[in-house]
Amino acid sequence: MQRPSQSTSPGSRKGKPVSRQVLADHVYEELLESLMDGRLEPGATVSIDGTARDLDVSPTPVREALARLEHTGMVRRVALKGYRVAPVFTREDFAELMEARLAIEPVNARLACARLTPERLAQLEQAVTDLKTAPRGPSFAEFRDYLEADERFHRLIAEQTGNQFMVAAYAALGGQVQRFRLFGGVGITDAENAIAEHQAVLDAMATGDPETAAAAMADHVSKVRGRAIADAPEA
Amino acid sequence: MQRPSQSTSPGSRKGKPVSRQVLADHVYEELLESLMDGRLEPGATVSIDGTARDLDVSPTPVREALARLEHTGMVRRVALKGYRVAPVFTREDFAELMEARLAIEPVNARLACARLTPERLAQLEQAVTDLKTAPRGPSFAEFRDYLEADERFHRLIAEQTGNQFMVAAYAALGGQVQRFRLFGGVGITDAENAIAEHQAVLDAMATGDPETAAAAMADHVSKVRGRAIADAPEA
DNA sequence: CATGTTCAGATCCTATAGGGCAGCCTCCGG
DNA sequence: CCGGAGGCTGCCCTATAGGATCTGAACATG
């Protein structure tokens, strides 16, 4: 067994026991990254045994990781048939996703605004800065950082609400957004507009006016929806 | 192995292949019911091996079922330590939960109102009727049906939005509500008021006015919050 | 009495084995 | 040429075994 067998070195006595991981956690993260990066295309089957061979583990941790992933909507499971990557978004799916974001994200912005600390504000500013400086080339590897910064901005706002349930509700949506941008045919042609809208949200939150922040977020999500529909006229 | 070995009888040729289940599904439902019913109290450890012995299965399906349950927030996992039932709600947790419901459920009511069919309306009416007729005795077994009808009413509205993401967002909250009512010290002292508010939501939806329905739902959730805080003054 | 140590049981975690089912390919008879 | 039977392979699902780790209690020691 190639178990890491952590802390066999007798020297580091006070080695941080921070959230020790097990194989299933690594498999989960590996699969999640593959899904986010697009290495696993929509509709592709995710074989338990095959994944286990690829990652050089037994099927048991893979099964556990996939059971968790199923709840995120990234993969779907059919009993006795196996797992497969969730199919591509239709335009209706995208409309539903944006409808849900419109219901949740402005509320997040309002709540986050009320309990904003300088430290958290700095994190948001960093995200917007990363958004501006990230390369936006045509290949995926080139705008990977852009998407990551985008998602981070929204996730930070959700976390800053301090409301665990709003975080959970957003998490049920957040992963889907990035996946859609990979496979929905919508690239980042809207980068300039999106950056300006993110900046507007950030400014409103820095000002400290919750209603303005909520309005800015609603405006952003609404415009993202409009641009995506315009960019991807096909099904 | 006591595998069901479905359709070994040669007679039934076209036996319906209705969503074949596996052991992990049964274990999942069994654990979920135990959690909802309160047989598993908050903070109690859920041993993988022990549960496997109780249900007379091997630990593998139990592990898969618990991995799914973890994502619902009903149980928490610590690596190399095991699973335990999520702790009791604090008053802050409850306030957060109601805040999240206030953000989501009125939107659900508005969306559901727009695409209401007679059949779906009948389902909602049935839920309200069940709410009125369900016994409301002091013991859990007596108001189990009441809680079930309550949860069903809200879930139906979420499903009637036709928006899979709103359903997912609500599902992240729905289970928590029932659990809180079991352990939060709040019984169903508010039954009469709650029934009237549900009826108001139903009437508004039947009328077909989305904004009135949303307002009625917001009013209901808001008042539930107020009553719960009044009923449970302790931590 | 307080404190550190040891040990045993329970538990988690992973690997491996085997049963059963579905799809695919080949082969053969019409 | 074509359709079906049969074998083969891959996969899912569950059980079982064994190593690693944690917990709690008994016990020794200052």
Side-chain angles (χ1 to χ4, degrees):
Chain A
M1 201 190 304
Q2 69 284 30
R3 188 84 160 277
S5 141
Q6 60 272 7
S7 81
T8 43
S9 63
S12 63
R13 173 63 57 177
K14 57 179 290 297
K16 53 188 171 120
V18 284
S19 73
R20 300 183 307 169
Q21 287 198 341
V22 292
L23 248 53
D25 295 332
H26 290 294
V27 175
Y28 180 88
E29 291 174 5
E30 194 69 31
L31 284 174
L32 191 61
E33 196 168 346
S34 295
L35 286 165
M36 289 298 196
D37 282 10
R39 278 172 296 188
L40 287 174
E41 294 188 4
T45 65
V46 183
S47 160
I48 294 177
D49 290 356
T51 304
R53 280 193 300 271
D54 290 346
L55 301 181
D56 197 38
V57 296
S58 81
T60 307
V62 176
R63 179 175 295 276
E64 186 172 334
L66 282 171
R68 290 188 227 167
L69 272 175
E70 186 197 2
H71 219 286
T72 69
M74 312 269 287
V75 299
R76 298 182 189 280
R77 167 180 164 272
V78 179
L80 301 176
K81 293 267 297 183
Y83 293 86
R84 58 178 49 235
V85 182
V88 192
F89 271 21
T90 65
R91 211 198 295 189
E92 287 74 20
D93 292 331
F94 180 77
E96 291 181 9
L97 178 58
M98 286 303 156
E99 206 166 43
R101 288 186 71 186
L102 265 177
I104 292 175
E105 297 223 45
V107 177
N108 282 352
R110 173 163 46 227
L111 294 176
C113 201
R115 56 202 313 280
L116 195 62
T117 65
E119 180 190 358
R120 297 178 181 280
L121 182 61
Q123 290 179 343
L124 285 178
E125 286 172 348
Q126 181 62 50
V128 173
T129 300
D130 293 346
L131 209 52
K132 290 175 180 172
T133 60
R136 303 197 285 275
S139 76
F140 166 73
E142 305 236 306
F143 61 89
R144 184 188 198 288
D145 293 339
Y146 176 86
L147 291 182
E148 189 276 328
D150 189 344
E151 202 275 332
R152 173 154 44 95
F153 180 80
H154 290 274
R155 182 163 40 78
L156 280 171
I157 290 178
E159 290 170 354
Q160 285 171 18
T161 63
N163 186 322
Q164 57 182 311
F165 300 104
M166 296 305 289
V167 174
Y170 171 77
L173 277 49
Q176 307 289 353
V177 176
Q178 189 166 2
R179 242 175 59 83
F180 173 76
R181 303 190 73 165
L182 281 177
F183 298 109
V186 183
I188 49 173
T189 60
D190 62 341
E192 295 306 325
N193 291 321
I195 289 174
E197 290 157 17
H198 280 121
Q199 184 69 53
V201 173
L202 177 60
D203 292 344
M205 293 189 65
T207 305
D209 180 15
E211 294 313 316
T212 304
M217 179 64 86
D219 180 68
H220 168 53
V221 175
S222 179
K223 285 182 177 170
V224 166
R225 173 174 58 181
R227 284 194 297 265
I229 291 177
D231 283 2
E234 83 281 13
Chain B
M1 201 190 303
Q2 69 280 31
R3 188 86 159 278
S5 131
Q6 60 273 4
S7 81
T8 43
S9 62
S12 63
R13 176 64 57 176
K14 56 180 290 298
K16 53 186 169 128
V18 286
S19 70
R20 301 182 305 171
Q21 284 197 341
V22 292
L23 250 54
D25 295 334
H26 290 293
V27 174
Y28 179 87
E29 292 174 5
E30 195 70 29
L31 284 174
L32 191 62
E33 197 168 343
S34 295
L35 287 165
M36 289 297 196
D37 283 9
R39 280 172 296 188
L40 287 175
E41 294 188 3
T45 64
V46 183
S47 159
I48 294 177
D49 291 355
T51 304
R53 281 192 300 270
D54 291 345
L55 301 181
D56 197 35
V57 296
S58 80
T60 307
V62 176
R63 179 175 294 275
E64 185 172 335
L66 282 171
R68 290 188 227 168
L69 273 175
E70 186 197 2
H71 224 287
T72 70
M74 312 269 287
V75 299
R76 300 181 187 280
R77 180 180 80 94
V78 179
L80 301 177
K81 293 263 298 186
Y83 292 86
R84 58 178 50 233
V85 182
V88 191
F89 270 23
T90 65
R91 212 199 294 189
E92 288 73 21
D93 292 332
F94 180 76
E96 291 180 9
L97 178 59
M98 286 303 156
E99 207 167 44
R101 287 185 71 185
L102 265 177
I104 292 175
E105 297 224 44
V107 177
N108 281 353
R110 174 163 44 230
L111 294 175
C113 202
R115 56 202 314 279
L116 194 62
T117 65
E119 180 190 358
R120 297 177 181 283
L121 182 60
Q123 290 178 343
L124 285 179
E125 286 171 347
Q126 181 62 50
V128 173
T129 300
D130 292 346
L131 210 53
K132 290 175 181 172
T133 60
R136 304 197 284 276
S139 77
F140 166 74
E142 306 236 306
F143 61 87
R144 184 188 198 288
D145 293 339
Y146 176 87
L147 290 183
E148 188 277 328
D150 189 343
E151 200 277 332
R152 173 153 44 95
F153 180 80
H154 290 273
R155 182 164 39 80
L156 280 171
I157 290 178
E159 291 170 353
Q160 285 171 18
T161 63
N163 186 322
Q164 57 182 310
F165 300 104
M166 295 306 287
V167 174
Y170 171 76
L173 276 50
Q176 308 289 352
V177 177
Q178 190 165 1
R179 241 175 59 83
F180 173 76
R181 304 190 71 165
L182 282 177
F183 299 108
V186 183
I188 49 173
T189 60
D190 62 340
E192 296 305 325
N193 292 321
I195 288 173
E197 289 158 17
H198 281 118
Q199 184 69 53
V201 174
L202 178 60
D203 291 344
M205 294 188 66
T207 305
D209 180 14
E211 294 313 316
T212 305
M217 179 64 86
D219 179 68
H220 168 52
V221 175
S222 179
K223 285 182 177 170
V224 166
R225 173 175 57 181
R227 285 194 297 266
I229 292 177
D231 284 2
E234 83 281 15

